[in-house]
Amino acid sequence: MSRIGKKPVAIPSGVTAAIENGSLNVKGPKGTLALGLSELVSYKLEDGSIAIQPANDSKAARSHWGMQRTLVSNLVDGVTSGFSKVLEITGVGYRAAAQGNKLKLQLGYSHDVELDIPAGLEVKTPDQTTIEISGIDKQAVGQFAAEVRRWRKPEPYKGKGIKYRGEYIFRKEGKKK
């Protein structure tokens, strides 16, 4: 039994959900999201909540159960409050600037790195060493944050690079004299 899957996803006021054409559409104050429904799991709209149950007793259906419930929960959370990730840049001369629909990074390479900001995401740079990525789709926010971080991962000797806020970088000791 899935402990996560057993709990129904509550639909807050101001959010509407509908199952049509093999997808679950959730509309809220921040926008609209859709999720393709898995055939291994059954979805039911009940009074103020979405219940998810495995369609049969197979191992595959039970393994999809909790994941599908979490995806539905992420849809509801996204259209109500949204998701955000904050990246911090550490290093001399390293900086970032959001200009229109591009994110410009200076990371010690011979050239500046320019990344296109995906549709549906908002990127802010309150200062030169902080990047705030926000949007209603949790997967898109996390994917773009990972793509930005990929350009200069934090290194263990001086801690230079791009890291998530709150991430701890295990520092290695240098040479002893």
Side-chain angles (χ1 to χ4, degrees):
M1 292 291 288
S2 172
R3 291 184 201 166
I4 294 172
K6 283 193 267 186
K7 300 175 187 172
V9 179
I11 301 174
S13 62
V15 175
T16 59
I19 297 174
E20 50 193 31
N21 299 331
S23 70
L24 173 67
N25 298 318
V26 180
K27 185 176 182 179
K30 291 211 176 240
T32 304
L33 289 174
L35 172 70
L37 301 180
S38 172
E39 296 176 2
L40 298 171
V41 180
S42 65
Y43 306 82
K44 292 179 188 164
L45 287 172
E46 297 171 349
D47 44 48
S49 65
I50 303 170
I52 295 107
Q53 294 293 324
N56 52 38
D57 202 27
S58 68
K59 182 174 178 155
R62 285 180 285 131
S63 65
H64 275 78
W65 184 16
M67 180 192 64
Q68 289 297 317
R69 191 260 182 213
T70 302
L71 292 175
V72 170
S73 176
N74 287 343
L75 291 181
V76 174
D77 291 344
V79 297
T80 54
S81 59
F83 297 99
S84 67
K85 292 238 181 219
V86 179
L87 299 170
E88 296 173 342
I89 302 173
T90 307
V92 177
Y94 291 6
R95 57 182 152 265
Q99 300 169 343
N101 63 347
K102 294 213 180 269
L103 178 65
K104 188 175 181 181
L105 302 171
Q106 294 176 345
L107 300 171
Y109 296 118
S110 61
H111 60 283
D112 294 348
V113 176
E114 285 193 10
L115 299 171
D116 292 326
I117 299 171
L121 295 184
E122 184 179 337
V123 177
K124 296 179 187 173
T125 50
D127 56 43
Q128 293 183 343
T129 59
T130 306
I131 304 169
E132 296 176 356
I133 303 168
S134 59
I136 61 173
D137 188 359
K138 186 175 186 176
Q139 193 275 334
V141 170
Q143 180 65 38
F144 187 66
E147 288 173 9
V148 170
R149 186 177 186 270
R150 177 181 65 89
W151 282 98
R152 188 67 86 175
K153 289 183 182 172
E155 52 96 9
Y157 297 102
K158 292 185 179 179
K160 294 175 15 176
I162 302 173
K163 69 180 183 88
Y164 297 110
R165 178 170 281 167
E167 180 182 13
Y168 177 75
I169 305 302
F170 183 74
R171 303 279 301 269
K172 293 185 177 179
E173 291 183 26
K175 285 186 176 180
K176 294 186 179 175
K177 294 182 180 183

PDB file of all heavy atoms in Angstrom, residues 146-162:
ATOM      1  N   ALA A 146      18.660  23.445 -12.972  1.00  0.00           N
ATOM      2  CA  ALA A 146      19.734  22.480 -13.178  1.00  0.00           C
ATOM      3  C   ALA A 146      20.576  22.840 -14.399  1.00  0.00           C
ATOM      4  O   ALA A 146      21.799  22.656 -14.396  1.00  0.00           O
ATOM      5  CB  ALA A 146      19.157  21.077 -13.334  1.00  0.00           C
ATOM      6  N   GLU A 147      19.936  23.376 -15.452  1.00  0.00           N
ATOM      7  CA  GLU A 147      20.681  23.784 -16.645  1.00  0.00           C
ATOM      8  C   GLU A 147      21.590  24.972 -16.346  1.00  0.00           C
ATOM      9  O   GLU A 147      22.703  25.047 -16.850  1.00  0.00           O
ATOM     10  CB  GLU A 147      19.722  24.114 -17.778  1.00  0.00           C
ATOM     11  CG  GLU A 147      19.064  22.893 -18.375  1.00  0.00           C
ATOM     12  CD  GLU A 147      17.984  23.232 -19.384  1.00  0.00           C
ATOM     13  OE1 GLU A 147      17.853  24.424 -19.761  1.00  0.00           O
ATOM     14  OE2 GLU A 147      17.267  22.307 -19.793  1.00  0.00           O
ATOM     15  N   VAL A 148      21.122  25.909 -15.530  1.00  0.00           N
ATOM     16  CA  VAL A 148      21.950  27.051 -15.145  1.00  0.00           C
ATOM     17  C   VAL A 148      23.117  26.566 -14.295  1.00  0.00           C
ATOM     18  O   VAL A 148      24.273  26.945 -14.517  1.00  0.00           O
ATOM     19  CB  VAL A 148      21.117  28.111 -14.388  1.00  0.00           C
ATOM     20  CG1 VAL A 148      22.009  29.180 -13.782  1.00  0.00           C
ATOM     21  CG2 VAL A 148      20.076  28.733 -15.295  1.00  0.00           C
ATOM     22  N   ARG A 149      22.846  25.700 -13.342  1.00  0.00           N
ATOM     23  CA  ARG A 149      23.870  25.195 -12.421  1.00  0.00           C
ATOM     24  C   ARG A 149      24.934  24.374 -13.164  1.00  0.00           C
ATOM     25  O   ARG A 149      26.093  24.349 -12.789  1.00  0.00           O
ATOM     26  CB  ARG A 149      23.206  24.347 -11.344  1.00  0.00           C
ATOM     27  CG  ARG A 149      24.136  23.873 -10.255  1.00  0.00           C
ATOM     28  CD  ARG A 149      23.336  23.105  -9.207  1.00  0.00           C
ATOM     29  NE  ARG A 149      24.140  22.743  -8.075  1.00  0.00           N
ATOM     30  CZ  ARG A 149      24.819  21.608  -7.977  1.00  0.00           C
ATOM     31  NH1 ARG A 149      24.787  20.723  -8.948  1.00  0.00           N
ATOM     32  NH2 ARG A 149      25.524  21.353  -6.892  1.00  0.00           N
ATOM     33  N   ARG A 150      24.532  23.716 -14.242  1.00  0.00           N
ATOM     34  CA  ARG A 150      25.426  22.855 -15.007  1.00  0.00           C
ATOM     35  C   ARG A 150      26.622  23.620 -15.583  1.00  0.00           C
ATOM     36  O   ARG A 150      27.697  23.058 -15.768  1.00  0.00           O
ATOM     37  CB  ARG A 150      24.638  22.214 -16.148  1.00  0.00           C
ATOM     38  CG  ARG A 150      25.433  21.346 -17.077  1.00  0.00           C
ATOM     39  CD  ARG A 150      24.554  20.792 -18.187  1.00  0.00           C
ATOM     40  NE  ARG A 150      24.043  21.833 -19.062  1.00  0.00           N
ATOM     41  CZ  ARG A 150      24.687  22.274 -20.148  1.00  0.00           C
ATOM     42  NH1 ARG A 150      25.848  21.786 -20.482  1.00  0.00           N
ATOM     43  NH2 ARG A 150      24.150  23.207 -20.906  1.00  0.00           N
ATOM     44  N   TRP A 151      26.466  24.916 -15.830  1.00  0.00           N
ATOM     45  CA  TRP A 151      27.554  25.688 -16.427  1.00  0.00           C
ATOM     46  C   TRP A 151      28.754  25.839 -15.503  1.00  0.00           C
ATOM     47  O   TRP A 151      29.878  25.980 -15.970  1.00  0.00           O
ATOM     48  CB  TRP A 151      27.051  27.056 -16.883  1.00  0.00           C
ATOM     49  CG  TRP A 151      26.320  26.934 -18.169  1.00  0.00           C
ATOM     50  CD1 TRP A 151      24.962  26.859 -18.329  1.00  0.00           C
ATOM     51  CD2 TRP A 151      26.883  26.816 -19.457  1.00  0.00           C
ATOM     52  NE1 TRP A 151      24.658  26.692 -19.649  1.00  0.00           N
ATOM     53  CE2 TRP A 151      25.835  26.676 -20.374  1.00  0.00           C
ATOM     54  CE3 TRP A 151      28.184  26.802 -19.937  1.00  0.00           C
ATOM     55  CZ2 TRP A 151      26.036  26.533 -21.728  1.00  0.00           C
ATOM     56  CZ3 TRP A 151      28.387  26.673 -21.297  1.00  0.00           C
ATOM     57  CH2 TRP A 151      27.317  26.538 -22.175  1.00  0.00           C
ATOM     58  N   ARG A 152      28.538  25.845 -14.193  1.00  0.00           N
ATOM     59  CA  ARG A 152      29.671  25.944 -13.269  1.00  0.00           C
ATOM     60  C   ARG A 152      29.240  25.354 -11.934  1.00  0.00           C
ATOM     61  O   ARG A 152      28.809  26.065 -11.036  1.00  0.00           O
ATOM     62  CB  ARG A 152      30.091  27.395 -13.117  1.00  0.00           C
ATOM     63  CG  ARG A 152      31.362  27.622 -12.345  1.00  0.00           C
ATOM     64  CD  ARG A 152      32.592  27.110 -13.030  1.00  0.00           C
ATOM     65  NE  ARG A 152      33.155  28.079 -13.951  1.00  0.00           N
ATOM     66  CZ  ARG A 152      34.293  27.899 -14.602  1.00  0.00           C
ATOM     67  NH1 ARG A 152      34.983  26.806 -14.420  1.00  0.00           N
ATOM     68  NH2 ARG A 152      34.734  28.798 -15.427  1.00  0.00           N
ATOM     69  N   LYS A 153      29.367  24.031 -11.807  1.00  0.00           N
ATOM     70  CA  LYS A 153      28.998  23.373 -10.557  1.00  0.00           C
ATOM     71  C   LYS A 153      29.974  23.787  -9.462  1.00  0.00           C
ATOM     72  O   LYS A 153      31.135  24.069  -9.745  1.00  0.00           O
ATOM     73  CB  LYS A 153      29.025  21.854 -10.725  1.00  0.00           C
ATOM     74  CG  LYS A 153      27.905  21.331 -11.586  1.00  0.00           C
ATOM     75  CD  LYS A 153      27.950  19.833 -11.659  1.00  0.00           C
ATOM     76  CE  LYS A 153      26.850  19.325 -12.571  1.00  0.00           C
ATOM     77  NZ  LYS A 153      26.966  17.895 -12.816  1.00  0.00           N
ATOM     78  N   PRO A 154      29.548  23.807  -8.209  1.00  0.00           N
ATOM     79  CA  PRO A 154      30.453  24.187  -7.128  1.00  0.00           C
ATOM     80  C   PRO A 154      31.604  23.189  -7.003  1.00  0.00           C
ATOM     81  O   PRO A 154      31.393  21.984  -7.054  1.00  0.00           O
ATOM     82  CB  PRO A 154      29.586  24.143  -5.880  1.00  0.00           C
ATOM     83  CG  PRO A 154      28.205  23.958  -6.327  1.00  0.00           C
ATOM     84  CD  PRO A 154      28.210  23.516  -7.734  1.00  0.00           C
ATOM     85  N   GLU A 155      32.803  23.707  -6.871  1.00  0.00           N
ATOM     86  CA  GLU A 155      33.945  22.820  -6.738  1.00  0.00           C
ATOM     87  C   GLU A 155      34.334  22.709  -5.260  1.00  0.00           C
ATOM     88  O   GLU A 155      34.079  23.614  -4.485  1.00  0.00           O
ATOM     89  CB  GLU A 155      35.109  23.293  -7.626  1.00  0.00           C
ATOM     90  CG  GLU A 155      35.496  24.740  -7.450  1.00  0.00           C
ATOM     91  CD  GLU A 155      36.645  24.903  -6.503  1.00  0.00           C
ATOM     92  OE1 GLU A 155      37.250  23.894  -6.112  1.00  0.00           O
ATOM     93  OE2 GLU A 155      36.927  26.025  -6.127  1.00  0.00           O
ATOM     94  N   PRO A 156      34.934  21.587  -4.864  1.00  0.00           N
ATOM     95  CA  PRO A 156      35.127  21.306  -3.442  1.00  0.00           C
ATOM     96  C   PRO A 156      36.320  21.999  -2.781  1.00  0.00           C
ATOM     97  O   PRO A 156      36.464  21.915  -1.574  1.00  0.00           O
ATOM     98  CB  PRO A 156      35.317  19.792  -3.405  1.00  0.00           C
ATOM     99  CG  PRO A 156      35.890  19.456  -4.731  1.00  0.00           C
ATOM    100  CD  PRO A 156      35.278  20.430  -5.698  1.00  0.00           C
ATOM    101  N   TYR A 157      37.157  22.671  -3.544  1.00  0.00           N
ATOM    102  CA  TYR A 157      38.366  23.243  -2.949  1.00  0.00           C
ATOM    103  C   TYR A 157      38.171  24.681  -2.464  1.00  0.00           C
ATOM    104  O   TYR A 157      38.516  25.019  -1.348  1.00  0.00           O
ATOM    105  CB  TYR A 157      39.539  23.150  -3.934  1.00  0.00           C
ATOM    106  CG  TYR A 157      39.863  21.717  -4.243  1.00  0.00           C
ATOM    107  CD1 TYR A 157      39.452  21.130  -5.429  1.00  0.00           C
ATOM    108  CD2 TYR A 157      40.517  20.926  -3.315  1.00  0.00           C
ATOM    109  CE1 TYR A 157      39.710  19.800  -5.693  1.00  0.00           C
ATOM    110  CE2 TYR A 157      40.775  19.590  -3.570  1.00  0.00           C
ATOM    111  CZ  TYR A 157      40.369  19.042  -4.758  1.00  0.00           C
ATOM    112  OH  TYR A 157      40.617  17.714  -5.005  1.00  0.00           O
ATOM    113  N   LYS A 158      37.608  25.527  -3.305  1.00  0.00           N
ATOM    114  CA  LYS A 158      37.354  26.910  -2.888  1.00  0.00           C
ATOM    115  C   LYS A 158      35.862  27.206  -2.772  1.00  0.00           C
ATOM    116  O   LYS A 158      35.478  28.259  -2.299  1.00  0.00           O
ATOM    117  CB  LYS A 158      37.976  27.889  -3.878  1.00  0.00           C
ATOM    118  CG  LYS A 158      39.493  27.853  -3.863  1.00  0.00           C
ATOM    119  CD  LYS A 158      40.041  28.914  -4.773  1.00  0.00           C
ATOM    120  CE  LYS A 158      41.562  28.904  -4.737  1.00  0.00           C
ATOM    121  NZ  LYS A 158      42.132  29.912  -5.633  1.00  0.00           N
ATOM    122  N   GLY A 159      35.011  26.300  -3.242  1.00  0.00           N
ATOM    123  CA  GLY A 159      33.570  26.495  -3.163  1.00  0.00           C
ATOM    124  C   GLY A 159      33.024  27.393  -4.251  1.00  0.00           C
ATOM    125  O   GLY A 159      31.893  27.850  -4.167  1.00  0.00           O
ATOM    126  N   LYS A 160      33.827  27.683  -5.297  1.00  0.00           N
ATOM    127  CA  LYS A 160      33.375  28.552  -6.381  1.00  0.00           C
ATOM    128  C   LYS A 160      32.383  27.809  -7.265  1.00  0.00           C
ATOM    129  O   LYS A 160      32.500  26.619  -7.471  1.00  0.00           O
ATOM    130  CB  LYS A 160      34.566  29.011  -7.225  1.00  0.00           C
ATOM    131  CG  LYS A 160      35.507  29.896  -6.473  1.00  0.00           C
ATOM    132  CD  LYS A 160      36.766  30.295  -7.204  1.00  0.00           C
ATOM    133  CE  LYS A 160      36.838  30.088  -8.664  1.00  0.00           C
ATOM    134  NZ  LYS A 160      38.068  30.599  -9.267  1.00  0.00           N
ATOM    135  N   GLY A 161      31.403  28.544  -7.789  1.00  0.00           N
ATOM    136  CA  GLY A 161      30.446  27.965  -8.706  1.00  0.00           C
ATOM    137  C   GLY A 161      29.030  28.407  -8.394  1.00  0.00           C
ATOM    138  O   GLY A 161      28.803  29.345  -7.634  1.00  0.00           O
ATOM    139  N   ILE A 162      28.065  27.710  -8.988  1.00  0.00           N
ATOM    140  CA  ILE A 162      26.646  28.019  -8.797  1.00  0.00           C
ATOM    141  C   ILE A 162      26.042  26.921  -7.930  1.00  0.00           C
ATOM    142  O   ILE A 162      26.130  25.744  -8.267  1.00  0.00           O
ATOM    143  CB  ILE A 162      25.907  28.090 -10.146  1.00  0.00           C
ATOM    144  CG1 ILE A 162      26.548  29.136 -11.056  1.00  0.00           C
ATOM    145  CG2 ILE A 162      24.438  28.402  -9.936  1.00  0.00           C
ATOM    146  CD1 ILE A 162      25.994  29.148 -12.463  1.00  0.00           C
TER     147      ILE A 162
END
